[in-house]
Each structure stands twice: as structure tokens, then as C-alpha cells.
Amino acid sequence: MDDVVYLEDVGAAPESPRVAARRLGVWQANTPVPDLPWLAGHQLAQRLAVSDLNFGCCRAAYPCGEDTSTS
């Protein structure tokens, strides 16, 4: 079975939230959990852990003005 879903195969009309939630629940209940430890981790924390970005210089990171960067 192919893992790819093309928009042309989905249809034009969105499903009702109840139908979509039911189908999602069925899919989650019947899909085996992969043996991937990284998949169970906190996704944002994992991305930041391997990032060299420094948000200390960004005003949005400290909206109240408290800069906790060490540089």
C-alpha cells in the first residue's frame, strides 16, 4: 500500500468533524506503533537540542525585556 496521498484523491468537500475524528481514531487504533524511541520524545525540544540558533538577541523571545542570554 502506498503511503502517499494526493490532493486530487481526497475530494473537494471537507468531511464533517465527527467523520474525520472517527476515521482518525480508527486509523490510530489500528496502526502499529513503530519502534522509534525518538518519535516518543518532545519534538520541539529535540529540534532545539540539535540547533545552533541563538534566540537571545530576538525581542520576541523576551517580550518583557529580560534577556537571559550569556553572550
Side-chain angles (χ1 to χ4, degrees):
M1 179 169 213
D2 197 8
D3 288 340
V4 178
V5 175
Y6 297 96
L7 288 177
E8 62 190 31
D9 296 334
V10 175
E15 288 190 309
S16 73
R18 285 182 180 221
V19 172
R22 183 172 183 274
R23 289 185 181 185
L24 178 60
V26 168
W27 175 78
Q28 288 178 333
N30 294 317
T31 302
V33 177
D35 186 21
L36 302 170
W38 61 265
L39 191 57
H42 190 280
Q43 296 295 309
L44 179 57
Q46 290 179 23
R47 290 179 183 154
L48 292 176
V50 297
S51 172
D52 60 357
L53 296 175
N54 178 3
F55 293 102
C57 63
C58 181
R59 286 192 121 172
Y62 305 102
C64 298
E66 67 275 3
D67 184 1
T68 58
S69 65
T70 57
S71 53

